[in-house]
Amino acid sequence: KRSQPQPPRVLLPGAGLGRLCAEVAAAGFEAQGNEFSYFMLLTAAFLLNSTSCQDQWTVHPWVHMTCNNVTNEDQLRAVGVPDVVSSSLVPPGMLSMCAGDFVVRGGHLRIVH
């Protein structure tokens, strides 16, 4: 009995909210996001695991920005998240996120060219 080949693995440092990780996993790679910021990790965990439909939540990401706004409407603009539900993209077991510094986490990796 032959074992099936494992998909290529991709490490994505600075993964932020995990959107690129989801896209990479959807393309057939085993993706692991690495993020230093716990604020990003908490939000990524919520968006990747606790959303069930597109535009489920509304956020106002520019509400505290006072520069680069032409009008008040620019500053108060709402954005629906997530734009894509990750569970509809990612096959089970193909995406993971880890916390920490990439230099520390990535030091044991074998680089293949």
Side-chain angles (χ1 to χ4, degrees), residues 58-73:
T58 302
V59 296
H60 298 269
W62 300 281
V63 73
H64 293 291
M65 298 290 197
T66 58
C67 61
N68 299 322
N69 293 309
V70 177
T71 66
N72 288 338
E73 289 77 28

Side-chain angles (χ1 to χ4, degrees), residues 1-7:
K1 189 174 178 181
R2 286 183 130 181
S3 64
Q4 292 190 352
Q6 296 294 316

Side-chain angles (χ1 to χ4, degrees), residues 7-13 20-21 24-25 28-34 94 96 109:
R9 294 176 171 178
V10 178
L11 175 63
L12 297 137
L20 180 60
C21 296
V24 168
F29 297 90
E30 187 178 330
Q32 182 174 56
N34 174 242
M94 295 294 284
S96 63
L109 297 175

Side-chain angles (χ1 to χ4, degrees), residues 9-69:
R9 294 176 171 178
V10 178
L11 175 63
L12 297 137
L17 299 178
R19 174 59 195 267
L20 180 60
C21 296
E23 295 286 342
V24 168
F29 297 90
E30 187 178 330
Q32 182 174 56
N34 174 242
E35 179 57 50
F36 183 76
S37 167
Y38 284 111
F39 296 114
M40 287 290 196
L41 285 166
L42 287 170
T43 307
F46 176 75
L47 290 175
L48 293 171
N49 299 311
S50 301
T51 55
S52 57
C53 64
Q54 184 177 354
D55 298 328
Q56 185 173 353
W57 308 100
T58 302
V59 296
H60 298 269
W62 300 281
V63 73
H64 293 291
M65 298 290 197
T66 58
C67 61
N68 299 322
N69 293 309

